[in-house]
């Protein structure tokens, strides 16, 4: 069986079709097994469908259309209103809404307007991004035939494919898309490309009694068929329902929730401290209680709530990833789901298709093996005579392209051709030369040709040995024979070896991917021998496993045995892979903590593409695969994905820099508000100041999507513990900077000699703190955006730098002219800026010390985790 799969492409295709469909039967995308039905079984099937080879009447078709519905993909989709409401539900929206309600209750209309505006802005950005995503069902519908020829009331009519019903009789001709799942009734031959549905690399030969799938493409021949299933009940439709299903939350969404939870819990703790201290001071000590006291407490809680919520974080991350998606599109990678960007940055295992992705998807002949008196080119010429010159068959094209002199075919006339038959496993042709002599030629499965020629035991032994050798080296073998007596006796001409050669850039691309820290595993429907040979040539390793041996029948895809998961992790790839195996491979690797990217191009790949952390639809993929995937490559091969990985890691670094900055600044504002009130009874910032700070800080930060960053040499992930530790460290020093300004201001106001020089008041101090937070925040971003000193490359990009300069100019002018804040003299504005610049140098030094300690600890842990080398023998 193994040898047959390795050397008999047509038989292998037929076998894989049966296995794929049988396997799919147990999966959500199930279909009927393609058993060939005999005449009696066909009659019984037609009776079950309530039809006959004469088709339906117009009235019957109309009645069935009302019963079964249109031949179209129909699935429940969440309404736009439901999606819109979802953007107002969650921890961060709740906190913003609470702040808005408090300001509404206090009739604080400016605060209410600004806070509500930010809430609506976040929802609008998210809703817009969601609507920009590709509609999976619309893409799938494009793959269906638009028109069909149906036998209605005894006449052949052109009807809309959507109007077909079970029991309709239709014709299917070369070049047409099958409009529904069908049972073939009449005709000699039909070659169907169903690779988009079952993953087979070669077209499948169909005959009377076989089933055919909606969405597959007829390549050769014409047949009549009865429609057995339409719409969602087809193989295609069941897969569409899976493609339309929702996926789990991405790592970036989980990270935002974790950050929000951290800040909210901290804000609640500080609110308890703040309220407790206010109640103690006003009620217990001063014995003052009333609605004014409640209002004052609510005012402080409002300020703290607004300070604690990173209101612009979802919007900034969405816009940053959207701009990143634009950059990826220039690298010929289209992002259909924004979260795929950060997922791709963390991927450490890439499972790649072989055919068309790692290889050319073009069969080529290697050196022919002649027998008897034949020469190598004689074998090729004989095989060409057993082919059709206008054939689209991959094997025929490979043979015809290998001819040394294609014009030699013009010296003979092909008078008869018998196409490949799944039972006989060969093609036959009769040709006549210029003298009128007739000859027969055949090519096909090596076993079929050997039986045709009745080889003697010695020749058969040699022949089988060469076939097995070719199979062991990953080649498909093709036997060639000729006859000069009308097929009574046949002579073996030789063997042809075919292989789909690797893409020219595949080896270097694999090496580059491995350099980026990814393990690349081949996933192919071909035999292990074929996959191993290609894998070795590409430097991927030759340890390929038969997928069916790893995942035994009945394996629960959501509960992969640990032994199977470990085998998947160790393997270099998998052969004889069916659709459910791809899904199980992804689940097994994820079970071990890996982030997995899976490539695919057909409807059959949809489950794996949907389950993978980053599903990648390769160039030439079906619309269905593109809809299921998060990343769509528009250039052939894998080189595009390397560019996408590099770009994704840059985008991830930019987002992580923003997260560091945002958490640190949120901590800064929250603690300064609480500490200033607890220690001095002074409200350092108003609610409107905090909202304006959020706008000044975050709107220009969106240009961080263009920032210059270093590409991480290894996969990067959301390590929340490290992110929170580093952000808190930066926040601690930012708090020291801000509270230091408050301390200096309060000390100034308590010293009469200093007040005589300049009469500083609380309003001035509020504005100075406002300016310090605006300037110090952006300077802090310059610090955290790189692990190196901020004074060495990579320097901030020009768009980011200019946006921040413009923002700081606006902040300085607001302070100088008293717009939304108390007015501040220019000399105090200058003092605040000098103060911020001095602190920037200090914080940059702290950052360098932190990373140095972290790198030493990581290096120590790496050494300890490595196995101890064996001692030399004495």
């Amino acid at each position: 069986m193994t040898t047959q799969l390795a050397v008999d492409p047509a038989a292998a295709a037929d076998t894989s079709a049966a296995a794929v469909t049988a396997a799919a039967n147990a999966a959500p995308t199930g279909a009927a097994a393609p058993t060939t039905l005999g005449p009696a079984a066909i009659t019984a099937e037609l009776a079950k469908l309530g039809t006959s080879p004469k088709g339906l009447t117009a009235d019957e078709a109309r009645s069935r259309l009302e019963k079964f519905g249109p031949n179209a993909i129909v699935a429940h989709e969440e309404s736009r209103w439901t999606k819109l409401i979802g953007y107002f539900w969650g921890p961060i929206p709740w906190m913003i809404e609470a702040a808005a309600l408090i300001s509404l209750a206090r009739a604080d209309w400016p605060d209410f307007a600004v806070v509500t505006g930010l809430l609506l802005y976040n929802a609008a950005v998210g809703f817009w991004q969601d609507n920009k995503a590709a509609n999976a069902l619309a893409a799938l519908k494009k793959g269906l035939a638009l028109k069909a020829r149906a036998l209605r009331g005894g006449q052949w009519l052109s009807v809309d494919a959507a109007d077909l019903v079970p029991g309709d009789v239709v014709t299917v001709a070369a070049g047409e898309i099958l409009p529904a799942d069908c049972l073939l009734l009449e005709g000699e031959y039909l070659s169907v490309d169903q690779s988009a549905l079952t993953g087979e690399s070669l077209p499948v030969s169909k005959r009377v009694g076989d089933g055919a799938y909606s969405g597959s493409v007829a390549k050769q021949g014409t047949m009549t068929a009865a429609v057995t299933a339409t719409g969602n009940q087809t193989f295609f439709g069941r897969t569409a329902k899976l493609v339309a299903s929702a996926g789990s939350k991405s790592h970036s969404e989980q990270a935002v929730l974790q950050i929000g939870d951290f800040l909210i819990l901290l804000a609640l703790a500080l609110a308890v401290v703040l309220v407790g201290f206010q109640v103690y001071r006003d009620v217990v000590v001063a014995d003052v209680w009333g609605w004014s006291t409640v209002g004052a407490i609510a005012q402080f809680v409002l300020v703290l709530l607004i300070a604690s919520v990173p209101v612009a974080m979802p919007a900034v991350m969405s816009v940053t990833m959207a701009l990143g998606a634009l950059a990826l599109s220039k690298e010929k990678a289209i992002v259909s789901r924004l979260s795929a960007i950060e997922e791709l940055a963390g991927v450490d295992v890439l499972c790649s298709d072989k055919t068309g992705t790692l290889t050319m998807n073009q069969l080529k002949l290697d050196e022919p093996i002649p027998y008897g008196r034949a020469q190598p080119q004689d074998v090729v010429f004989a095989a060409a005579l057993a082919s059709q010159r206008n054939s689209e068959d991959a094997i025929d094209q490979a043979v015809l392209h290998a001819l040394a002199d294609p014009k030699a075919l013009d010296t003979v006339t092909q008078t008869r051709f018998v196409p490949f038959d799944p039972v006989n496993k060969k093609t036959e042709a009769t040709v006549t030369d210029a003298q009128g002599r007739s000859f027969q030629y055949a090519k096909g499965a090596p076993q079929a040709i050997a039986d045709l020629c009745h080889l003697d035991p010695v020749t058969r032994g040699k022949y089988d040995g060469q076939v097995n050798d070719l199979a062991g080296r990953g080649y498909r073998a093709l036997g060639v024979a000729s006859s000069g007596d009308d097929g009574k006796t046949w002579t073996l001409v030789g063997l042809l070896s075919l292989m789909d050669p690797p893409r020219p850039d595949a080896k270097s691309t694999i090496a580059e991917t491995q350099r980026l820290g990814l393990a690349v595993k081949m996933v192919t429907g071909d035999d292990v021998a074929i996959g191993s040979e290609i894998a070795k040539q590409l430097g991927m390793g030759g340890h390929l496993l038969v997928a069916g041996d790893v995942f035994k029948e009945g394996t629960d895809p959501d509960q992969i045995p640990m032994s199977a998961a470990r085998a998947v992790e160790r393997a270099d790839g998998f052969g004889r892979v069916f659709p459910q195996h791809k899904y199980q491979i992804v689940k097994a690797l994820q079970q071990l903590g890996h982030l997995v990217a899976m490539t695919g191009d057909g409807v059959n790949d949809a489950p794996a593409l949907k389950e993978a952390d980053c599903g990648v639809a390769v160039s030439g993929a079906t619309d269905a695969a593109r809809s299921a995937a998060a990343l769509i490559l528009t250039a052939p091969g894998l080189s595009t994905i390397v560019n996408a990985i590099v770009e994704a890691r840059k985008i991830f670094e930019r987002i992580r820099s923003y997260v560091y900055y945002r958490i640190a600044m949120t901590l800064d504002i929250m603690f300064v508000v609480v500490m200033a009130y607890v220690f001095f009874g002074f409200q350092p910032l108003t609610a409107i100041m905090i909202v304006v700070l959020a706008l000044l800080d975050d709107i220009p930060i969106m240009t961080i999507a263009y920032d210059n960053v270093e590409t991480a040499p290894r996969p990067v992930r959301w390590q929340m513990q490290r992110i929170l530790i580093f952000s808190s460290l930066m926040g601690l020093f930012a708090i020291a900077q801000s509270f230091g300004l408050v301390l200096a201001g309060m000390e100034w106001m308590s010293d009469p000699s200093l007040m005589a020089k300049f009469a500083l008041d609380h309003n001035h101090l509020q504005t100075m703190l406002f300016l310090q937070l605006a300037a110090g925040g952006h300077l802090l971003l310059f610090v955290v955006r790189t692990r190196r000193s901020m004074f060495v490359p990579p320097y901030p990009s020009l768009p980011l730098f200019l946006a921040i300069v413009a923002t700081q100019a606006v902040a300085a002018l607001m302070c100088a002219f008293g717009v939304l804040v108390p007015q501040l003299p220019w000399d105090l504005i200058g003092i605040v800026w000098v103060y911020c610049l001095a602190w920037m140098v200090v914080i940059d030094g702290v950052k360098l010390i932190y990373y140095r300690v972290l790198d030493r600890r990581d290096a120590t842990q790496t050494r300890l985790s490595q196995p101890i080398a064996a001692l030399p023998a004495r």
Side-chain angles (χ1 to χ4, degrees), residues 799-853:
L800 177 63
F801 183 76
L802 292 178
I804 288 178
V805 169
T807 304
Q808 292 308 314
V810 170
L813 291 172
M814 285 178 62
C815 296
F817 294 100
V819 180
L820 298 178
V821 297
Q823 192 172 7
L824 195 67
W826 279 106
D827 52 353
L828 287 183
I829 291 174
I831 289 173
V832 171
W833 259 99
V834 171
Y835 178 79
C836 291
L837 290 171
W839 267 100
M840 177 187 69
V841 177
V842 173
I843 297 176
D844 193 49
V846 172
K847 175 199 69 178
L848 294 176
I849 294 171
Y850 168 81
Y851 279 126
R852 192 170 300 156
V853 172

Side-chain angles (χ1 to χ4, degrees), residues 43 435 618 846:
T43 302
Q435 288 75 38
V618 298
V846 172

Side-chain angles (χ1 to χ4, degrees), residues 3 160 242 251 258 317 377 424 558 610 702 870:
T3 303
D160 290 338
L242 176 63
H251 292 84
Q258 288 175 329
M317 292 183 71
Q377 266 300 312
N424 296 326
D558 295 317
K610 197 73 174 178
M702 292 181 185

